[in-house]
């Protein structure tokens, strides 16, 4: 074998080894990212989760188109984790918390299960559900702060990852003042789940997001107002009672 042939063979072997090592490294990194993603969402391979959808409060019982878009965002995340989803309406979803990962979409008026989750898991959150028009209609009360709706200009949504135990699967809540804010929260989660996982790990968190100028930008411009986990989980203040003198 001449020197030229030997150099060519050695070059081919070195290139093959380099390609194999590169493929192994990329595969390792991809699998590590997948495992982290699956852990954050509580979705190991071939597992099942629950998508709980609300009903359009102002319609005929159909699902609002922005909530349909929110479900599509979540479905893509679930597929990426090699998991499977079951879609249920809020009024027939009956299972305990932590049995399966759950994604719950919609406010407490149009989603009974969301109302139950807020009552049980986030008692410090109060949402004005009065049907009469007024400046506080749909407003969020979290601790001492109130967040009012300015439709199409400034709207708020809660994005929460909640767990009830070490081995329990998480519940993700997307509770917005308008349907478009639910979609904005799911899109924010899809785009930022890696940063959220690095910051919060697999623990509970509750973020208040603001959707800015949705009439022009749709669900794409979102700002993080605050991490309201502590205030949202704090017990709601007891109602004041008056006592008559001498009673």
């Amino acid at each position: 074998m001449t020197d030229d042939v030997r150099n060519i063979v050695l070059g081919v072997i070195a290139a093959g080894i380099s390609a194999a090592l590169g493929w192994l490294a990329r595969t390792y990194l991809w699998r590590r990212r997948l495992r982290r993603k699956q852990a954050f969402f509580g979705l190991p391979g071939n597992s099942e989760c629950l998508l709980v959808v609300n009903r359009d409060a102002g319609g005929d019982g159909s699902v609002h188109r922005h909530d349909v878009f929110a479900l599509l965002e979540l479905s893509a995340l679930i597929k990426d984790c090699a998991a499977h989803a079951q879609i249920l309406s809020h009024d027939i979803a009956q299972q305990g918390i932590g049995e399966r990962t759950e994604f719950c979409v919609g406010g407490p008026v149009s989603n009974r299960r969301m109302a139950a989750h807020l009552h049980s898991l986030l008692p410090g959150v109060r949402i004005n559900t009065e049907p009469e028009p007024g400046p506080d209609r749909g407003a969020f009360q979290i601790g001492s702060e109130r967040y009012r709706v300015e439709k199409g200009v400034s709207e708020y949504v809660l994005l929460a990852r909640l767990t009830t135990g070490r081995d329990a699967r998480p519940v993700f809540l997307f509770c917005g003042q308008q349907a478009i804010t639910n979609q904005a929260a799911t899109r924010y989660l899809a785009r930022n789940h890696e940063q959220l996982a690095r910051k919060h790990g697999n623990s509970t968190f509750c973020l208040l997001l603001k959707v800015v100028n949705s009439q022009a930008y749709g669900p794409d411009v979102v700002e993080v107002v605050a991490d309201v986990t502590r205030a949202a989980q704090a017990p709601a203040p007891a109602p004041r009672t008056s006592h008559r003198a001498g009673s």
Side-chain angles (χ1 to χ4, degrees):
M1 180 183 294
T2 66
D3 290 341
D4 292 339
V5 173
R6 183 171 59 252
N7 290 335
I8 292 173
V9 172
L10 292 175
V12 171
I13 293 174
I17 293 174
S18 297
L21 291 175
W23 179 83
L24 289 173
R26 288 192 298 271
T27 301
Y28 170 76
L29 292 175
W30 175 81
R31 288 181 176 175
R32 186 175 67 172
R33 289 183 63 186
L34 176 61
R35 287 194 297 268
R36 288 177 177 177
K37 187 174 185 178
Q38 290 174 328
F40 177 75
F41 287 109
L43 293 173
N46 293 318
S47 61
E48 293 187 354
C49 65
L50 197 62
L51 282 173
V52 181
V53 62
N54 62 345
R55 297 291 187 180
D56 186 359
D60 57 356
S62 60
V63 180
H64 195 284
R65 65 186 183 92
H66 287 298
D67 291 326
V68 173
F69 295 149
L71 294 177
L72 292 175
E73 299 271 4
L74 294 173
S75 296
L77 286 176
I78 295 165
K79 184 178 180 180
D80 287 345
C81 292
H84 311 285
Q86 179 183 9
I87 301 177
L88 290 179
S89 175
H90 69 101
D91 52 355
I92 62 172
Q94 296 179 341
Q95 74 163 35
I97 300 172
E99 296 178 11
R100 289 185 289 176
T101 293
E102 178 180 341
F103 300 89
C104 193
V105 177
V109 173
S110 60
N111 189 324
R112 296 179 191 172
R113 192 163 175 87
M114 178 66 74
H117 286 328
L118 293 176
H119 178 76
S120 301
L121 304 175
L122 297 176
V125 175
R126 297 288 185 89
I127 300 178
N128 189 320
T129 58
E130 294 296 327
E132 292 79 11
D136 288 333
R137 183 181 181 184
F140 289 176
Q141 182 80 32
I142 306 173
S144 60
E145 299 295 329
R146 180 173 298 174
Y147 304 91
R148 290 174 172 169
V149 186
E150 294 182 62
K151 190 173 181 180
V153 177
S154 178
E155 300 149 314
Y156 296 91
V157 57
L158 288 172
L159 168 59
R161 181 191 190 276
L162 308 172
T163 57
T164 57
R166 182 175 180 180
D167 297 324
R169 298 286 175 86
V171 176
F172 288 87
L173 303 184
F174 309 88
C175 180
Q177 293 175 328
Q178 303 288 332
I180 196 170
T181 63
N182 299 329
Q183 182 189 357
T186 57
R187 182 166 295 182
Y188 179 87
L189 179 66
R191 291 176 174 175
N192 299 279
H193 63 85
E194 291 184 351
Q195 296 92 316
L196 292 172
R198 284 195 294 268
K199 182 175 182 180
H200 301 283
N202 297 330
S203 59
T204 287
F205 66 82
C206 181
L207 303 179
L208 180 67
L209 309 177
K210 181 168 72 172
V211 183
V212 180
N213 200 1
S214 63
Q215 62 186 351
Y217 304 128
D220 286 330
V221 182
V222 176
E223 299 176 356
V224 179
V225 178
D227 184 333
V228 296
T229 308
R230 182 175 297 180
Q233 290 186 310
R240 295 181 178 179
T241 57
S242 59
H243 300 276
R244 294 182 180 179
S247 60

